Amino acid sequence: MKEQTARRQDGEAGGDRRRLFQARVLDLTDGLYRVALRLTRHESDAEELVAEAVAKAWAALDSLEDESRFRPWIFSVLINTFRSHCRRRGRELSLDDCQDDAGGEPDFSLFDKLHQPFLLWWSNPEQDFLNKLLGEDLQRAVDSLSECYRAVVVLVILEGCSYQEAADILAIPIGTVRSRVKRGRSLMQKALWMHAREAGIHTATSETEGEM
Amino acid sequence: MGNEHKPIDCEEVLRSLISYLDGELDKAATADIDHHLKHCRTCYSRAEFERHLTELSRKIGPSKAPAELRRRLARLVEGF
């Protein structure tokens, strides 16, 4: 009798735990999918990644020491699942290696390219440029980043994570997040600029070609 | 006392602007940049440009996961 009661109580506790986990996962599904989509850049791959991460998170739930840290914890499971996917596909993992893009180039600033301080007050080339940008231009610019910058940009800029939260999720130092956010923005702006020039969205007026 | 700010130049603002816009500076450093932006038209324009670009970037892609993924996850967790 005692055994039956204990089993029933264990079953009820397990059911509660599962329901709580399910509620939290469903709360975070949109964010998990958005991050997965920007990392994989394919809808079906993103769905697979999220589903696999959720299964892994359930299996590793005991490793979550602080319940209030569920959000960064499950995002870190997603990131680690993505790392495993890359390894499984035999791809060189670039999520943790930014060397390719650093290249010693100075940071690029769209504002510096567009701003003209001596224009009349009603003229605003920066705003004109932003008004012409489409969502797909921005998406293309984010997707053009190598994974190591993209992961930080997606977490901080798109999902609004703090630097500390992004550092915890990616298991990298906060100083690295700070420098990658800055560099990632710069590379994103350069990609936007190049696309704007190629697509004729912006035509050169006063900027110096040699500065590119 | 509360209105005293460390005077900072445009170079310093430029170095910290991204951390400032991301809300990652401490109160004193934030107040110093706030103060500078009130008096420097170019830095103010730069900050507004970066802020606006970030806002546009936040709207990239779908805001919601596909309904089928939500159903799939619900079924998956039911099976645990």
Side-chain angles (χ1 to χ4, degrees), chain A residues 106-140:
Chain A
D107 279 340
F108 181 92
S109 162
L110 260 179
F111 180 82
D112 287 342
K113 285 286 174 198
L114 297 164
H115 185 62
Q116 296 174 41
F118 302 112
L119 283 182
L120 294 170
W121 63 268
W122 61 81
S123 183
N124 189 335
E126 304 99 272
Q127 192 58 49
D128 292 345
F129 184 89
L130 293 176
N131 290 343
K132 286 177 193 161
L133 279 183
L134 301 174
E136 63 188 63
D137 298 328
L138 288 154
Q139 187 171 309
R140 190 183 295 112

Side-chain angles (χ1 to χ4, degrees), chain A residues 18 21-22 26 29-30 33-34 37 47-48 50-51 55 58 109-112 126-127 130 133 138-139 142 156-158 162-163 178 181 185 188-189, chain B residues 14-15 18-19 22 24 42 45-46 49-50 52-54 56-58 60-66 68-70 72-80:
Chain A
R18 192 177 62 235
F21 178 79
Q22 187 180 52
L26 292 178
T29 299
D30 293 335
Y33 176 72
R34 285 193 300 265
L37 183 59
E47 291 190 35
E48 289 303 315
V50 172
W58 174 256
S109 162
L110 260 179
F111 180 82
D112 287 342
E126 304 99 272
Q127 192 58 49
L130 293 176
L133 279 183
L138 288 154
Q139 187 171 309
V142 172
V156 173
I157 301 181
L158 275 56
S162 69
Y163 290 1
R178 187 173 289 110
V181 163
R185 272 188 162 98
M188 200 180 143
Q189 293 193 5
Chain B
L14 188 55
R15 267 198 301 276
I18 296 304
S19 296
D22 287 338
E24 295 285 338
T42 303
S45 300
R46 183 188 294 278
F49 178 80
E50 296 290 346
H52 195 165
L53 188 56
T54 298
L56 291 174
S57 303
R58 290 223 158 106
I60 290 177
S63 59
K64 299 268 180 205
E68 178 48 37
L69 177 63
R70 300 184 77 82
R72 180 180 172 183
L73 293 181
R75 283 197 305 271
L76 181 70
V77 179
E78 285 296 329
F80 289 154

Side-chain angles (χ1 to χ4, degrees), chain B residues 6-53:
Chain B
K6 186 171 69 121
I8 51 173
D9 61 23
C10 299
E11 281 295 315
E12 286 176 81
V13 171
L14 188 55
R15 267 198 301 276
S16 305
L17 188 62
I18 296 304
S19 296
Y20 165 82
L21 293 171
D22 287 338
E24 295 285 338
L25 295 183
D26 61 31
K27 272 187 182 176
T30 301
D32 290 341
I33 294 188
D34 281 341
H35 184 72
H36 180 96
L37 295 184
K38 279 182 190 156
H39 298 91
C40 176
R41 191 181 300 276
T42 303
C43 286
Y44 175 79
S45 300
R46 183 188 294 278
E48 283 304 295
F49 178 80
E50 296 290 346
R51 204 190 311 267
H52 195 165
L53 188 56

Side-chain angles (χ1 to χ4, degrees), chain A residues 10-107:
Chain A
D10 279 354
E12 284 168 4
D16 286 348
R17 195 172 186 237
R18 192 177 62 235
R19 276 189 289 278
L20 184 59
F21 178 79
Q22 187 180 52
R24 288 178 158 184
V25 163
L26 292 178
D27 258 359
L28 296 171
T29 299
D30 293 335
L32 288 168
Y33 176 72
R34 285 193 300 265
V35 172
L37 183 59
R38 291 278 66 80
L39 288 176
T40 61
R41 295 181 288 199
H42 293 101
E43 290 169 6
S44 58
D45 289 349
E47 291 190 35
E48 289 303 315
L49 181 60
V50 172
E52 191 180 330
V54 167
K56 282 186 175 173
W58 174 256
L61 193 54
D62 287 339
S63 71
L64 174 64
E65 290 170 0
D66 179 355
E67 293 281 328
S68 69
R69 307 278 303 151
F70 186 83
R71 181 178 186 262
W73 176 77
I74 198 163
F75 273 94
S76 71
V77 174
L78 181 82
I79 294 289
N80 286 332
T81 307
F82 180 66
R83 284 186 172 111
S84 318
H85 273 208
C86 293
R87 256 179 246 123
R88 266 209 308 265
R89 289 173 185 180
R91 275 186 45 210
E92 197 57 45
L93 191 66
S94 58
L95 194 62
D96 303 305
D97 180 7
C98 291
Q99 283 174 358
D100 290 351
D101 285 328
E105 263 185 58
D107 279 340

